[in-house]
Each structure stands twice: as structure tokens, then as C-alpha cells.
Amino acid sequence: MTETLLAGLADPTLDSQRVFRAALDALSRPGRAVDLPDVLPDGAPAPLMPATAALALALFDYETPVWLDPEADRLAVRDWLRFHCGCPLVADKAQARFAILAGPLDALDGFAAGSDAYPDHSATLLVQVAGLSEGAAHRLTGPGIELEETMQINGLPDDFAALWERNRGLFPRGIDLFLADGARLIGLPRTTRIERKEA
Amino acid sequence: MSTAQGYNFAYLDEQTKRMIRRAILKAVAIPGYQVPFGSREMPLPYGWGTGGIQVTAAILGPDDTLKVIDQGADDTTNAVNIRSFFQKTAGMATTDRTREASIIQTRHRIPETPLVEGQIMVYQVPIPEPLRWLEPREGETRKMHGLAEYGVMQVKLYEDIAHYGHISTAYDYPVRVNGRYVMSPSPIPKFDNPKMDNSPALQLFGAGREKRIYAIPPYTRVESLDFEDHPFQIESWDQACAICGSADSYLDEIVTDDKGGRMFVCSDTDYCGERVAAGHTGEEQAA
């Protein structure tokens, strides 16, 4: 290791609790952006965003194999995750409980979607995007949403709604998503119906 | 904030909390599905809310205000014990007021005061599997959930109608969540079932002995199972609460002497107290 390792949570107990509650809030109210508390004294190792790094510190440990996409798969990230979380880093995305995608999201295939008997044995993807308030507009409905929610995301593929619909069709199997932009987070559980709004 | 020496905040160690938190996130993503988790031994026996306590311990933080009820009351043994457990181990602010609480841990009731967005209900669950009395084998019930094969539950309810003329299940009345999973609402009276439907609050369920966590996200459809010609109905009473006069809350029958004297009072003590403070009276007060 040539560079100094960036610090983890200053207060592992209370910081991870606050990050988890924000994530829980995001997943229970799909499409609504949630601000994560600032818990990283030195910031996140590039190319991870603060939201991705905070979730990693709060949720990853030796029980959660993690897959990194080619963009996120850098030595600084691997060292940082290994040191602070102690999580196994896997090359096969099908084995991952969590995945970090710092590059473009082109497919949801290949990740564990669980089985009919154990749909919880499925991956949660942390996807970094370029913006949570501009870009293509989507209409969201489903559990956690009273009537409907509008989500604008910059940096998702054009056919994201179709990709997601295929995932939703697997229910109760399926993967769950967190979209991160800076320190903000949107949760998308597998139950959320997403339709592309025509401009 | 003062907490017990030698214990982590909220008693559980951090690795356990992370494991429970991950289970909660999956539970929210799959409404009504029971997520297995590594339930820990707690400093009180199974049956006293060990599942609910572990869920509460994994979610609460110093900014929360905790309310604990047992059968609607804040001052019964189980509620007092659990409240003081979190005061001791997490220095928690606690309250009796439903409106002031951010987390409400409950055994067998949902408060009468409507819940609001941002609140979290934590239910203590003894038997999380609604099909368990009909099919004792876990492998089989898991398969039935996987295939959404719930005919056996409808048959059970139908047999009730054939025997008694009505569905006799009065508590732990099975519900279907978001049109998919049949779920045990925990042993709340069926009176409370409609409060689960489209609730603005997040509802989490913890079963310690059975090692399961499940959830209902806010604004999620929760239907009580029934038949077109035998629609689901909740209990009603001829009496009103003897203390606050409420005619639409869940009433407990209290025996007052050994000559057959009894009175009906609200099960939800906070709701009843709030009504009395607002000037409502029942026949007991008026007399």
C-alpha cells in the first residue's frame, strides 16, 4: 500500500445507525431522495461517492460478499473496503450480496435474485449516477408510495424502465437498488413499478 | 445520555445490528415475507418480546423517542421492563404519548391514535408463520409461500363458517400483504387489522424464538382474508368506555368485584387519558 488509508466512521455505533436509518427511510419511501449524514472524516476513496461509502461502512462485513464493477474496482477501494468492512470481494457477481456500480449500469442480469423459497438471498446494488434531480423522468408507484412519486435520474440507461420491469416481474425474487449521487440516496425495492414519463 | 457501563449502545454488538439491519432492508423490499435472521439470546426469556427488542435495538438512535405498549397499556410489566431496558442500555427518551413517539414497540395492539409518516411500529411476534397450525413442517410452509399456495388457509376459514356460522378467529387474523404474501399480523385483535392497511407508518415485525423478521412498508395494501358472502368484520361493543366514553376504541372488560360487577374501558391507555384530558367522560366518571 503506497497511499494512506482513508478513515472509516468516527463513531461506528451511532454513525452506522444514522446511515442505516436513512437507507431504511429511502427503501421504505421509494423514489424520494434522502440525505445521508456526513460520516466520512476524510471523504470517500475515489471513485466512490460519500453515499456509497457510508452505506458500505454501515452494512458490509465478513458475511457479505461484495462485487465491484470495473470502474469501482480500484486498489484504493479494495484496500479501504477490506480494511474497514472486512468483506470478501468476489469476481463472480452471482455470489455478491452487495454490488457497487460506479460505471454505467447496462444490465441487471447476473446478480443473485434469490429463490422462490428464499427471495431474501438476493443482491442489493449500490448504483452511482450523475444526478437525482434532473434527467429522464419516471413515474413510480407501489408499496411505500401513497399515490405516485416522480423520480428524475441522470445517468441511467434509456431502457432502464424496461430492465426494471423485468426485475419486478420476478417477484418475490429480484434485486434491490440504491441510487447514489454525492451524499444523496434513492431506494428502489423490487416492488416499485417504474414507468418512463414521456416529455 | 447515560447508558449502562460495559454494554454497547442498545445492548447488541455492532455485527449483530448490521445482520439485523440487512434483514430489515430485505423485509421491506419483500413485504410480508419472513426473513430468517440470527436471533440472539437476550437478557429475558423468549415470549417476552425478544424479537421486537432486537429489531428496536437495531434501528433506534439517540434522536428517537420510544413508546412501548403491552395490550395497549404503557404501564404493564412487559412494557415497563422493555422501556427501562432501553433507558438503561441506550439512554433513550421515552414517552407514553403515541403522537410524540418515533418508534412504538408493541405487544398485541396498535394505538387508536392514527399513526403518521416517519413513525415506526415494531411488533413482538410469537409465531410468525400464519400457516404453522395448518402445516407444521417449515419446508412445506416455505414452499407454500413460494408458490403463493394459500388454499389451506381459505379452507380453515371456511370450516369456521361451516361450524360456527362465522369466522371465529378473533386475533392474529391472517392478512394478505400487497396482494402476495399471507402474513401473521401478530396476536393483535382483528379490530386492529384495518389500521395496518395503507398505514403511513413503517411496520416491522420481530420473532425472536422463531428467528424471523418481516415488514410492511408505508402505504401498502393489507387485506384481511375473507369471503365475498362472509366479509371481514371487526368487533363492536354495546358499551362505551366507562372512563372516557369512547364508543369506537377497543375495550377491555374489567371485573370490579366478586358480585358480577364489571366495566369496559379502553385498552389503549394513552388514547383514553388524552380523551379524559380533553374533557370527555364515561359513565364511571359521571357517576
Side-chain angles (χ1 to χ4, degrees):
Chain A
M1 204 188 308
T2 50
E3 292 169 42
T4 316
L5 201 61
L6 301 179
L9 300 175
D11 184 340
T13 300
L14 298 185
D15 285 347
S16 55
Q17 186 272 338
R18 292 192 295 153
V19 171
F20 163 72
R21 277 292 281 279
L24 179 62
D25 201 32
L27 204 63
S28 345
R29 294 175 169 77
R32 208 187 284 182
V34 167
D35 289 308
L36 287 187
D38 179 18
V39 293
L40 303 161
D42 298 342
L48 299 195
M49 291 173 174
T52 320
L55 276 184
L57 293 176
L59 296 173
F60 297 3
D61 60 27
Y62 68 89
E63 291 184 330
T64 59
V66 173
W67 181 83
L68 304 173
D69 79 344
E71 184 70 23
D73 192 2
R74 298 197 194 165
L75 187 62
V77 173
R78 302 177 72 90
D79 285 341
W80 188 82
L81 286 174
R82 282 211 180 97
F83 182 81
H84 290 298
C85 305
C87 55
L89 298 171
V90 292
D92 176 9
K93 57 165 88 164
Q95 290 178 12
R97 285 286 304 277
F98 287 97
I100 295 178
L101 288 86
L105 169 79
D106 42 16
L108 299 172
D109 304 331
F111 294 102
S115 60
D116 284 334
Y118 291 96
D120 57 311
H121 290 188
S122 52
T124 303
L125 271 51
L126 318 183
V127 180
Q128 302 193 154
V129 295
L132 295 181
S133 44
E134 73 280 355
H138 296 85
R139 178 189 296 113
L140 272 55
T141 49
I145 302 168
E146 185 174 14
L147 300 169
E148 65 171 54
E149 191 77 44
T150 300
M151 174 179 87
Q152 277 190 289
I153 302 291
N154 191 359
L156 283 178
D158 283 342
D159 61 344
F160 176 71
L163 285 180
W164 185 255
E165 190 55 25
R166 209 173 309 148
N167 180 57
R168 204 179 69 88
L170 297 175
F171 192 86
R173 299 166 62 235
I175 57 161
D176 307 303
L177 223 61
F178 283 105
L179 302 175
D181 170 34
R184 297 172 77 211
L185 200 63
I186 280 182
L188 291 178
R190 63 193 74 178
T191 48
T192 303
R193 178 192 286 269
I194 302 180
E195 295 156 287
R196 180 77 182 261
K197 271 189 178 175
E198 299 307 328
Chain B
M1 188 173 76
S2 66
T3 58
Q5 291 289 307
Y7 288 98
N8 190 22
F9 176 81
Y11 186 78
L12 295 175
D13 61 275
E14 288 306 304
Q15 200 278 324
T16 298
K17 286 187 197 167
R18 268 195 305 274
M19 175 268 296
I20 294 175
R21 286 166 183 167
R22 291 192 297 257
I24 292 174
L25 291 177
K26 283 299 171 193
V28 169
I30 318 167
Y33 166 74
Q34 305 162 47
V35 182
F37 80 109
S39 179
R40 299 298 190 242
E41 193 156 328
M42 299 301 285
L44 77 173
Y46 289 137
W48 285 79
T50 52
I53 292 174
Q54 290 179 78
V55 170
T56 301
I59 63 175
L60 61 71
D63 302 334
D64 283 309
T65 305
L66 179 69
K67 172 180 165 80
V68 186
I69 52 172
D70 173 5
Q71 300 277 16
D74 297 89
D75 54 1
T76 43
T77 312
N78 197 199
V80 170
N81 278 340
I82 293 171
R83 197 163 46 237
S84 71
F85 175 78
F86 284 116
Q87 281 166 339
K88 217 178 262 182
T89 59
M92 289 303 297
T94 60
T95 181
D96 292 351
R97 310 293 303 274
T98 299
R99 293 172 209 284
E100 290 167 8
S102 59
I103 299 174
I104 303 173
Q105 181 170 334
T106 174
R107 173 179 175 274
H108 306 359
R109 271 318 304 283
I110 300 175
E112 307 288 0
T113 308
L115 302 174
V116 296
E117 267 192 33
Q119 286 183 316
I120 303 179
M121 285 286 293
V122 178
Y123 297 79
Q124 302 172 198
V125 184
I127 309 283
E129 178 51 73
L131 304 168
R132 184 59 71 234
W133 303 115
L134 308 169
E135 171 52 65
R137 291 166 296 181
E138 166 69 14
E140 287 301 309
T141 52
R142 189 163 283 283
K143 206 176 289 172
M144 290 155 83
H145 282 296
L147 301 173
E149 178 48 70
Y150 295 124
V152 64
M153 183 59 91
Q154 293 289 349
V155 170
K156 191 257 170 201
L157 297 176
Y158 170 74
E159 283 181 348
D160 265 13
I161 294 171
H163 282 151
Y164 311 112
H166 64 276
I167 295 171
S168 64
T169 305
Y171 65 95
D172 210 347
Y173 190 105
V175 295
R176 189 189 290 267
V177 182
N178 197 34
R180 177 58 176 79
Y181 279 99
V182 165
M183 188 197 90
S184 157
S186 87
I188 58 171
K190 65 177 178 176
F191 179 87
D192 284 341
N193 275 22
K195 296 178 192 163
M196 289 186 154
D197 183 31
N198 265 304
S199 171
L202 170 66
Q203 305 176 74
L204 304 175
F205 300 76
R209 179 184 48 218
E210 304 291 323
K211 301 175 174 53
R212 296 290 186 273
I213 286 172
Y214 51 104
I216 306 174
Y219 303 116
T220 299
R221 195 153 43 95
V222 179
E223 311 150 274
S224 302
L225 299 183
D226 62 359
F227 298 94
E228 275 175 25
D229 53 345
H230 282 86
F232 174 76
Q233 283 176 321
I234 58 171
E235 301 93 327
S236 59
W237 289 264
D238 299 332
Q239 296 85 352
C241 171
I243 298 172
C244 77
S246 173
D248 49 12
S249 87
Y250 188 79
L251 301 180
D252 282 339
E253 183 179 359
I254 315 250
V255 176
T256 51
D257 54 35
D258 57 2
K259 300 182 191 70
R262 53 201 164 123
M263 62 194 259
F264 287 84
V265 296
C266 287
S267 142
D268 184 336
T269 50
D270 167 57
Y271 173 79
C272 196
E274 213 172 68
R275 279 179 56 86
V276 169
H280 296 276
T281 51
E283 53 188 43
E284 189 70 14
Q285 302 286 91

